[in-house]
């Protein structure tokens, strides 16, 4: 297993241009698997469930940069506020207010990305474009002093239609560029195992890759 995992990780890593952040999505994978990838100098990992993230944080080296990439409920923020590096899935003003509150309690500034709904699928979470603009303006007005909005995150429609995926990525890139003229955004997170190359071509500087590194997920 170790050799396969190492080879899969290095294969993906070699396809990521210098300057593009790789978030290794380790959800539903074991601490032992994460350690193998960590020992190849991967330091940024993404989880989408709070309980699993907390358990892995406690079990693994403390220099790992943990990203929460799944939908976050307000009552769960307190569990990750002491240590999470970035919350990529801010999809409402309500959750932003809660993150700000818990960051203050922990005397921290928490990095977040605004998740924008670019996919047609109803199951996807995210702000619409006007909501994202409104929240970002409030942030620039210093309404959330314990938060740093670092950028935007989006998930394209799960489809074989590459033209549709490309148009969704470019829609998010356009919004990123607009907001970047108002403030100073760093991260445009879009693209996963099946579409990360297209996402990079469309301007992504952070990609979230799980199955191409770790293989199929193991569900309990």
């Amino acid at each position: 297993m170790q050799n396969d995992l190492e080879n899969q990780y290095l294969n993906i890593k070699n396809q990521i241009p210098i300057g593009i952040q790789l978030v290794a999505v380790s959800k539903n994978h074991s601490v032992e698997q994460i350690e193998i990838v960590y020992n190849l100098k991967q330091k940024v990992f993404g989880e989408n469930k709070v309980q699993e993230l907390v358990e892995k944080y406690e079990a693994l080296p403390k220099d790992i940069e943990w990203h929460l990439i799944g939908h976050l409920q307000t009552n769960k923020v307190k569990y990750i506020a002491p240590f999470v590096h970035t919350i990529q899935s801010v999809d409402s003003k309500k959750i932003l207010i809660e993150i700000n509150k818990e960051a203050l309690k922990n005397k921290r500034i928490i990095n977040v990305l605004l998740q924008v709904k670019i996919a047609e699928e109803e199951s996807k979470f995210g702000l619409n474009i006007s909501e994202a603009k409104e929240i970002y303006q409030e942030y620039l007005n210093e309404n959330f002093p314990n938060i740093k909005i670092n950028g935007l995150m989006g998930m394209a429609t799960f489809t074989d239609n590459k033209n549709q995926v490309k148009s969704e990525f470019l829609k998010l890139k356009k919004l990123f560029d607009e907001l970047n003229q108002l403030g100073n955004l760093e991260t445009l997170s879009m693209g996963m195992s099946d579409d990360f190359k297209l996402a990079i071509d469309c301007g992504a500087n952070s990609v979230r890759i799980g199955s191409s590194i770790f293989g199929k997920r193991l569900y309990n």
Side-chain angles (χ1 to χ4, degrees):
M1 181 190 83
Q2 180 164 344
N3 286 344
D4 287 346
L5 181 49
E6 287 176 352
N7 290 336
Q8 284 161 200
Y9 170 75
L10 292 171
N11 177 47
I12 289 295
K13 185 69 177 169
N14 289 335
Q15 296 178 60
I16 307 285
I18 291 169
I20 307 289
Q21 179 188 60
L22 169 59
V23 180
V25 178
S26 48
K27 61 183 181 180
N28 299 116
H29 294 290
S30 69
V31 164
E32 290 74 23
Q33 287 172 293
I34 296 170
E35 283 177 330
I36 291 168
V37 176
Y38 170 84
N39 287 332
L40 295 170
K41 297 189 166 52
Q42 174 66 27
K43 294 293 191 288
V44 185
F45 290 86
E47 290 284 332
N48 73 339
K49 291 195 174 145
V50 166
Q51 184 179 345
E52 192 174 347
L53 174 54
V54 170
E55 288 170 0
K56 287 174 177 174
Y57 166 75
E58 289 172 353
L60 285 155
K62 295 301 173 276
D63 62 338
I64 287 179
E65 184 180 304
W66 290 106
H67 288 224
L68 193 281
I69 61 172
H71 179 65
L72 179 59
Q73 296 169 302
T74 52
N75 64 340
K76 300 281 181 71
V77 175
K78 62 191 174 193
Y79 299 113
I80 60 171
F83 69 88
V84 72
H85 181 278
T86 299
I87 297 171
Q88 291 206 14
S89 48
V90 171
D91 56 12
S92 69
K93 184 176 171 181
K94 180 183 175 188
I95 195 71
L96 200 62
I97 290 168
E98 188 67 22
I99 295 166
N100 188 68
K101 185 178 90 176
E102 292 297 331
L104 177 62
K105 282 185 189 174
N106 286 277
K107 298 183 174 61
R108 295 189 67 212
I109 305 290
I110 294 179
N111 300 304
V112 306
L113 305 183
L114 300 181
Q115 181 176 352
V116 180
K117 189 175 189 295
I118 53 173
E120 291 183 358
E121 293 153 306
E122 287 301 313
S123 59
K124 295 276 201 303
F125 291 99
L127 302 157
N128 64 41
I129 284 175
S130 61
E131 288 171 331
K133 287 180 176 177
E134 188 178 314
I135 285 174
Y136 192 59
Q137 190 56 60
E138 288 192 43
Y139 164 74
L140 293 176
N141 293 338
E142 301 183 352
N143 285 5
F144 310 105
N146 284 78
I147 279 173
K148 183 179 181 188
I149 296 182
N150 259 340
L152 305 178
M153 185 267 262
M155 285 185 277
T157 302
F158 186 68
T159 174
D160 292 328
N161 184 341
K162 296 298 179 192
N163 287 331
Q164 181 180 346
V165 173
K166 182 177 180 180
S167 72
E168 291 170 355
F169 285 155
L170 289 174
K171 180 177 173 184
L172 191 60
K173 175 65 163 72
K174 182 172 181 281
L175 177 61
F176 179 84
D177 290 342
E178 282 180 35
L179 297 183
N180 208 20
Q181 290 178 344
L182 303 174
N184 183 25
L185 297 180
E186 298 168 9
T187 304
L188 180 56
S189 172
M190 53 187 194
M192 298 186 283
S193 289
D194 293 335
D195 56 19
F196 73 89
K197 290 181 181 176
L198 180 56
I200 291 169
D201 288 343
C202 292
N205 60 15
S206 179
V207 293
R208 310 177 303 276
I209 300 181
S211 57
S212 292
I213 294 173
F214 291 99
K216 290 186 177 177
R217 292 173 200 139
L218 302 173
Y219 295 96
N220 293 328

